């Protein structure tokens, strides 16, 4: 039978052989996702400076914890998720992910006198350059505190293998069940997600999403004004200007959104729209916004960079009042969510910017992850997203709701903006939030 098959194949014409090869399934080598390709380019555009890095400090208080057991949990978590065992191999212009059978994270034990020392140590491990070819891309410092019932878990992870949702999964693993039991392996893998994403993009839903996003970004408005010109040469050095809003304002903005059948995200997006429209001198604003990228149930437990940065085109705000902007933001985001699985990096918009992102200069972040109380071995776990003195975008407006109101910051590229400019924008944002709260209460 084998010889007969070989003879039949040998008798095929060149055209028939070509058709046969095209019809046969082939093993496909792993590829970077569009999001990973953007991160790879940005990494090299800034000379390897670690800009796209998750830098978190988790403060454990109220109970003594066994850091050896936490270390075991971290090792088991990394072993069970292929993204955290991945490095990246470059061959000319081609980059391939390489998944290792074992690639333990870098684990360090130390002591910290106080929060300032812990945060400084976390920033230090995030500022150290990552060797993307050798790894590991997960660094963890376990620090004893000044008292038995106080300690810190300090994390630095390159975004090529990790995102904010992944961090929540890691915290789930650290706080789940018996601390001596390893976390269960998850059925989903990043490689499966990447393959499914490629297939979806090539299918009818992907083509429809491509057309939608192309229409949304057509004739896009100019980027926001800067104090200095944009150039392709950037180090993405950044700084942050923080702000707070009381619970009365935060609750009113959220309640006003609910009355209009909108989410709290849409309510705060409307406030951001008002501030940036005023800042840029145009009511037509193109912003980036973050989605988890986990649009299918089997991707919810996948660790890796699934985060999707999509544009949101804010226009048609009526009379410019908060209610009209809120309704428009609600409708715009609902329409976009139907196409949220489409990788933002593939959107063929007409606007092309200098810097590390070709389409987006400013992004809006509404982060309500981690709002629930977390405990690890009985200790209260409080996370802090630390300022690394970098700027992933020209301008990032982040809003974090909490029980005592809203905290947030404006992160900016110091090569483009003066602190005084960004501080003025933060003041306008908080003022407009207060005005929005008064409007919806009337």
């Amino acid at each position: 039978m084998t010889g007969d098959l070989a003879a039949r194949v040998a008798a095929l014409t060149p055209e028939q052989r070509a058709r046969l090869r095209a019809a046969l399934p082939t093993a496909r080598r792993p590829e970077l996702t569009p999001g990973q390709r953007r991160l790879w380019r940005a990494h090299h555009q800034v000379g390897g400076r670690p800009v796209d890095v998750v830098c978190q400090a988790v403060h454990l208080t109220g109970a003594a914890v066994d850091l050896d057991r936490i270390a075991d949990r971290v090792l088991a978590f990394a072993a069970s998720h292929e993204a955290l065992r991945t490095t990246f191999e470059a061959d000319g212009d081609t980059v391939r992910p390489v998944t290792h059978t074992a690639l333990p994270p870098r684990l360090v034990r130390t002591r910290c006198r106080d929060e300032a020392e812990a945060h400084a140590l976390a920033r230090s491990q995030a500022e150290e350059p990552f060797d993307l070819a050798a790894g590991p891309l997960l660094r963890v410092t376990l620090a004893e505190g000044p008292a038995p019932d106080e300690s810190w878990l300090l994390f630095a992870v390159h975004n090529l293998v990790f995102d904010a949702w992944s961090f929540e999964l890691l915290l789930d693993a650290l706080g789940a069940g018996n601390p001596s039991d390893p976390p269960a392996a998850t059925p989903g893998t990043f490689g499966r997600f990447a393959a499914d994403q490629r297939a979806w993009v090539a299918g009818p839903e992907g083509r429809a999403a491509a057309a939608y996003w192309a229409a949304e970004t057509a004739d896009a408005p100019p980027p926001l004004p800067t104090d200095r010109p944009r150039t392709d040469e950037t180090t993405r050095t950044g700084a942050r200007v923080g702000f707070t809003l009381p619970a009365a304002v935060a609750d009113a903005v959220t309640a006003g959104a609910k009355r209009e059948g909108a989410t709290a995200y849409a309510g705060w997006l409307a406030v951001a729209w008002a501030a940036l429209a005023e800042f840029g001198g145009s009511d037509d604003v193109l912003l980036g916004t973050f989605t988890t990228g986990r649009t299918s149930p089997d991707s919810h437990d996948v660790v890796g960079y699934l985060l999707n940065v999509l544009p949101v085109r804010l226009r048609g705000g009526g009379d410019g009042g908060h209610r009209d902007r809120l309704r428009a933001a609600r409708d715009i985001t609902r329409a976009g969510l139907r196409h949220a699985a489409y990788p933002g990096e593939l959107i063929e918009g007409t606007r092309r910017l200098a810097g590390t992102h070709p389409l987006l200069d400013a992004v809006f972040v509404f982060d309500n992850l981690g709002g629930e109380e977390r405990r690890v071995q009985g200790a209260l776990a409080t996370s802090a997203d630390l300022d690394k003195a970098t700027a992933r975008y020209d301008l990032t407006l982040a809003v974090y709701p909490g029980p005592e109101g809203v905290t947030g910051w404006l992160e900016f590229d110091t090569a483009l903006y003066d602190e005084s400019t960004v501080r003025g924008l933060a003041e306008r944002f908080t003022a407009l939030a207060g005005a929005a709260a008064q409007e919806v209460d009337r």
Side-chain angles (χ1 to χ4, degrees), residues 11 89 106 137 151 264 280 420:
E89 179 182 89
R106 189 179 79 183
L137 304 186
S151 54
S420 59

Side-chain angles (χ1 to χ4, degrees), residues 39 50-58 84 122-123 125-127 130 137-140 153-168 170-171 240 290 303-305 307 367 383-388 390 392:
L39 293 173
V51 173
D52 292 294
V53 173
V54 174
C55 178
Q56 292 275 351
V58 181
L84 296 176
R123 293 188 187 95
Q125 75 173 357
E127 290 167 358
F130 285 82
L137 304 186
L138 167 61
R139 301 167 180 164
V140 184
L153 315 178
L154 311 176
F155 300 93
V157 201
H158 201 286
N159 272 134
L160 276 165
V161 298
F162 208 71
D163 58 13
W165 188 280
S166 301
F167 179 66
E168 296 299 317
L170 173 55
L171 292 183
R240 290 180 182 177
F290 292 176
V303 167
Y305 188 77
L307 182 79
D367 190 351
S383 301
D385 176 23
L386 301 183
D387 179 3
K388 307 181 297 296
T390 60
R392 301 185 189 204

Side-chain angles (χ1 to χ4, degrees), residues 352-376:
R352 283 294 177 264
L353 305 177
T356 53
H357 200 292
L359 179 63
L360 302 171
D361 63 311
V363 299
F364 172 70
V365 179
F366 181 78
D367 190 351
N368 57 358
L369 293 176
E372 298 180 359
E373 180 180 287
R374 286 187 178 276
R375 291 192 176 271
V376 175

Side-chain angles (χ1 to χ4, degrees), residues 278-350:
E278 181 182 288
F279 180 74
S282 170
D283 208 51
D284 186 358
V285 175
L286 182 65
L287 272 179
T289 190
F290 292 176
T291 67
T292 66
R294 291 163 172 83
T295 55
S296 63
D298 57 357
S299 64
H300 289 177
D301 292 329
V302 175
V303 167
Y305 188 77
L306 283 69
L307 182 79
N308 197 15
V309 187
L310 289 168
V312 54
R313 183 78 175 271
L314 299 167
R315 48 186 169 176
D319 65 3
H322 180 71
R323 281 195 182 89
D324 282 352
R325 290 191 188 276
L326 169 60
R327 291 165 183 158
R330 175 198 63 196
D331 296 343
I332 291 165
T333 53
R334 281 180 180 171
L337 280 174
R338 290 193 286 271
H339 306 286
Y342 192 78
E345 290 78 12
L346 299 183
I347 296 172
E348 296 182 356
T350 56

Side-chain angles (χ1 to χ4, degrees), residues 203-270:
E205 290 181 287
R207 291 192 293 271
Y212 171 83
W213 291 116
E216 278 297 288
T217 56
D219 301 318
L224 295 172
T226 59
D227 294 316
R228 287 168 289 280
R230 293 179 173 86
T231 68
D232 284 324
E233 295 182 4
T234 177
T235 61
R236 281 302 188 196
T237 300
R240 290 180 182 177
V241 171
F243 59 83
T244 59
L245 285 161
V249 171
D251 292 346
V253 171
T254 299
K258 289 182 178 178
R259 284 197 292 271
E260 296 294 337
T263 60
Y265 164 84
W268 287 103
L269 179 61

